[in-house]
């Protein structure tokens, strides 16, 4: 496994992989890897041995008062985890390989990025599509894997790839959870023992509401019950909790059988957690 920091070297190594005739798969990450990331890699390996994991904490997707400074950076530990999966390349670019001096381009996603995490974290998805499109160009990957935990991100990346004619297949991978149900996230490392315990109210409340809506409960009632349960269980505030149409991301006040997703973001202590469940 090569850990590559330089773009020319990356391109040379990928052209060697291309000789195998097998596709190139990309798993973009910001490091602090956990089992959720490893499941993306394993899914990728079902399709090709040529799996590249990128590790880059992308500054343009963090807002001014967000956790960029504190975001865990642990390349050695991440590399050790990936060694056992036998991937050929970790792409760990230096900042200058992504945003060289004089870099002047920005991107903007409209519509799909206006609500939910997009509204609460202005500019976040613009930074995400910028880095992801750069990673697509740098690697020339044929397939890329993203977790369903960031469902709005996944939807926006699919749209961006379509809009910009990227010749790449985007694959969404189901969320990996702890045995008690908490969605795995690098930000879980910020939580104290008590907060970790209280955070379980997020998946529990969402799953219950999803089942209730499927069984015909009024959507607004199911959502406010879920919100109350979370606030009673130690969440300080709820950023949003909504039922949305899976494709358009339009808010649904009623559910009449269409493919939908229940999305929420909420603060426990200073940590913002997100999660989602299907309603179908
Ligand atoms: O989901 C993430 O970890 C990041 O948003 C991504 C897709 C790697 C872009 O920095």
């Amino acid at each position: 496994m090569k850990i590559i920091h330089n773009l020319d070297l990356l391109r040379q190594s990928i052209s060697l992989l291309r000789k195998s005739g097998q596709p190139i798969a990309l798993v973009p990450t910001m490091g602090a890897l956990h089992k959720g990331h490893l499941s993306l890699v394993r899914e990728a390996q079902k399709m090709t041995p040529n799996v590249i994991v990128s590790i880059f904490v992308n500054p343009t997707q963090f807002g001014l008062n967000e956790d960029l400074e504190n975001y865990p950076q642990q390349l050695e530990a991440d590399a050790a985890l990936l060694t056992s999966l036998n991937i050929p390349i970790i792409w760990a670019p230096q900042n200058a390989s992504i945003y060289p001096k004089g870099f002047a381009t920005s991107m903007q996603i409209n519509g799909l990025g206006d609500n939910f995490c997009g509204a609460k974290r202005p500019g976040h998805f613009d930074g995400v599509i910028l880095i992801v499109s750069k990673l697509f160009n740098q690697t020339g990957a044929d397939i890329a894997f993203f977790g369903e935990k960031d469902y709005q991100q996944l939807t926006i990346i699919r749209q961006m790839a379509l809009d910009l004619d990227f010749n790449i297949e985007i694959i969404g991978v189901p969320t990996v959870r702890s045995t008690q149900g908490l969605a795995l996230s690098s930000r879980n490392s910020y939580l104290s023992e008590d907060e970790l315990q209280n955070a379980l109210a997020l998946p529990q409340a969402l799953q219950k509401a999803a089942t209730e809506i499927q069984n015909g409960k009024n959507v607004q009632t199911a959502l406010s019950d879920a919100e109350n349960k979370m606030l009673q269980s130690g969440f300080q505030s709820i950023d949003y909790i909504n039922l949305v149409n899976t494709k358009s991301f339009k808010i649904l006040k009623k559910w009449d059988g269409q493919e939908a997703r229940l999305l929420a973001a909420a603060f426990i202590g200073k940590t913002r957690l997100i999660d989602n469940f299907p309603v179908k």
Side-chain angles (χ1 to χ4, degrees), residues 121-181:
R121 303 183 67 192
H124 168 67
F125 288 123
D126 299 340
V128 169
I129 56 172
L130 184 61
I131 183 65
V132 169
S133 49
K134 284 204 60 135
L135 293 169
F136 287 177
N137 279 328
Q138 291 179 335
T139 58
D142 306 292
I143 332 165
F145 293 76
F146 297 87
E148 287 187 347
K149 186 187 145 258
D150 296 291
Y151 207 82
Q152 189 175 14
Q153 167 173 283
L154 172 63
T155 309
I156 283 172
I157 289 169
R158 284 191 201 284
Q159 186 66 45
M160 178 276 287
L162 186 74
D163 290 347
L164 300 187
D165 305 315
F166 276 108
N167 192 10
I168 191 165
E169 187 183 355
I170 308 291
I171 300 196
V173 179
T175 304
V176 177
R177 297 180 180 280
S178 70
T179 43
Q180 291 173 297

Side-chain angles (χ1 to χ4, degrees), residues 154-246:
L154 172 63
T155 309
I156 283 172
I157 289 169
R158 284 191 201 284
Q159 186 66 45
M160 178 276 287
L162 186 74
D163 290 347
L164 300 187
D165 305 315
F166 276 108
N167 192 10
I168 191 165
E169 187 183 355
I170 308 291
I171 300 196
V173 179
T175 304
V176 177
R177 297 180 180 280
S178 70
T179 43
Q180 291 173 297
L182 186 65
L184 298 192
S185 160
S186 307
R187 290 191 168 96
N188 292 353
S189 66
Y190 301 154
L191 300 175
S192 67
E193 280 300 313
D194 279 353
E195 287 171 341
L196 263 176
Q197 201 53 39
N198 294 342
L200 299 177
L202 172 60
Q204 285 165 359
L206 280 187
Q207 189 159 38
K208 182 162 181 282
T211 310
E212 288 171 346
I213 292 168
Q214 279 162 191
N215 292 337
K217 186 163 175 171
N218 174 281
V219 171
Q220 284 319 115
T221 316
L223 297 185
S224 60
D225 288 353
E227 194 165 333
N228 289 337
K229 156 97 176 128
M230 285 161 59
L231 292 172
Q232 281 156 17
S233 307
F235 277 85
Q236 268 72 48
S237 60
I238 314 289
D239 253 4
Y240 62 81
I241 173 162
N242 288 106
L243 183 69
V244 301
N245 177 292
T246 310

Side-chain angles (χ1 to χ4, degrees), residues 224-275:
S224 60
D225 288 353
E227 194 165 333
N228 289 337
K229 156 97 176 128
M230 285 161 59
L231 292 172
Q232 281 156 17
S233 307
F235 277 85
Q236 268 72 48
S237 60
I238 314 289
D239 253 4
Y240 62 81
I241 173 162
N242 288 106
L243 183 69
V244 301
N245 177 292
T246 310
K247 296 225 162 57
S248 66
F249 254 68
K250 293 255 155 43
I251 292 177
L252 300 172
K253 300 268 180 227
K254 274 205 266 177
W255 185 66
D256 41 29
Q258 66 269 60
E259 271 221 15
R261 207 96 193 174
L262 198 50
L263 314 170
F267 275 92
I268 192 140
K270 290 195 175 122
T271 309
R272 184 175 181 275
L273 299 180
I274 61 172
D275 204 350

Side-chain angles (χ1 to χ4, degrees), residues 6 8 22 39 48 54 58 71 89 97-98 103 112 124-125 139 143 173 194-195 205 209 240 258 280:
N6 165 289
D8 289 336
Q22 305 258 40
S39 89
T48 177
S54 66
N58 172 40
Y71 201 87
I89 296 177
S97 297
I98 300 290
F103 187 91
L112 286 175
H124 168 67
F125 288 123
T139 58
I143 332 165
V173 179
D194 279 353
E195 287 171 341
Y240 62 81
Q258 66 269 60
K280 52 185 171 186

